[in-house]
Amino acid sequence: KHSGSNVLATTSTGIDVTGKVSSDGLEVDLSSSGNVELTGAANSNAGLVVRDPTATAYGAHFSYDDANTVVSIGGQTNGTKNTAISIGRDSNDISFYEDTGTTAKMVWSSAAEKLTLSGAGGLDVSPSSGDAAINLTSNASQSWTIYSPDASNDLRFKSDSTDYVTIDTIGSVGIGTSSPVGKLDVLAGG
């Protein structure tokens, strides 16, 4: 008891604590079975917060937003949780957010089976020399590839490993040829 009130009690299922628990560390043995469960009030966005030891209003959080049915991971600034990543509870959609954690900039939708990017940043793909920058493969195992940089730093559009359009480093375009000899070089039958 503290000041006449029960703050720690044993029950048939475990220990009940009223108030906060302060400890130098916590180790939970789950070697046989069980879970570590954190439960908050409805719409509380309750979870686990790891605080900055020098500025306790800052840190990181792992929490569950029951209003939007998502698990959220992110930072905490001045006591406000900013979501960096959220994972849908039922849909398994994954969203990545901007710095303030309010606008999704990249969303993987499991229902639509597609990735959506938004904002001014766009997509930056930096492959190693000779590797495909973007490779799309259909269900019929046919592929369409944007291939750059290759050894000559040309931009090449391929389908099933065949170069169909090449833009070289001086801006010449080859259709049906990967070595254009003029500004526009179209190879008959290419």
Side-chain angles (χ1 to χ4, degrees):
K1 288 189 175 189
H2 178 73
S3 299
S5 298
N6 287 331
V7 292
L8 176 66
T10 57
T11 69
S12 61
T13 58
I15 299 172
D16 281 344
V17 177
T18 302
K20 293 184 178 179
V21 175
S22 205
S23 172
D24 291 337
L26 175 65
E27 183 176 332
V28 180
D29 183 358
L30 299 175
S31 56
S32 57
S33 65
N35 297 303
V36 175
E37 296 185 15
L38 304 172
T39 305
N43 300 315
S44 66
N45 199 14
L48 175 67
V49 174
V50 180
R51 298 190 189 283
D52 182 328
T54 60
T56 58
Y58 296 84
H61 74 89
F62 178 89
S63 55
Y64 176 66
D65 177 354
D66 61 322
N68 296 304
T69 64
V70 296
V71 174
S72 300
I73 303 168
Q76 179 171 287
T77 304
N78 288 325
T80 300
K81 294 175 181 174
N82 298 313
T83 299
I85 303 169
S86 70
I87 304 167
R89 180 192 69 189
D90 301 318
S91 63
N92 291 325
D93 293 349
I94 302 173
S95 300
F96 295 85
Y97 292 82
E98 62 185 3
D99 292 343
T100 60
T102 57
T103 304
K105 293 299 184 180
M106 183 169 71
V107 178
W108 164 253
S109 169
S110 60
E113 295 185 345
K114 70 175 183 176
L115 179 67
T116 303
L117 302 175
S118 62
L123 178 66
D124 185 359
V125 181
S126 302
S128 299
S129 180
D131 291 337
I134 299 173
N135 190 34
L136 306 173
T137 303
S138 70
N139 290 334
S141 296
Q142 297 186 355
S143 63
W144 180 79
T145 304
I146 298 175
Y147 194 89
S148 179
D150 63 8
S152 60
N153 292 317
D154 295 343
L155 175 60
R156 298 172 187 238
F157 294 84
K158 297 183 173 196
S159 180
D160 291 329
S161 301
T162 301
D163 289 341
Y164 283 99
V165 178
T166 298
I167 303 172
D168 67 17
T169 55
I170 60 170
S172 297
V173 177
I175 299 175
T177 176
S178 60
S179 303
V181 294
K183 280 298 181 185
L184 177 61
D185 187 359
V186 181
L187 183 64

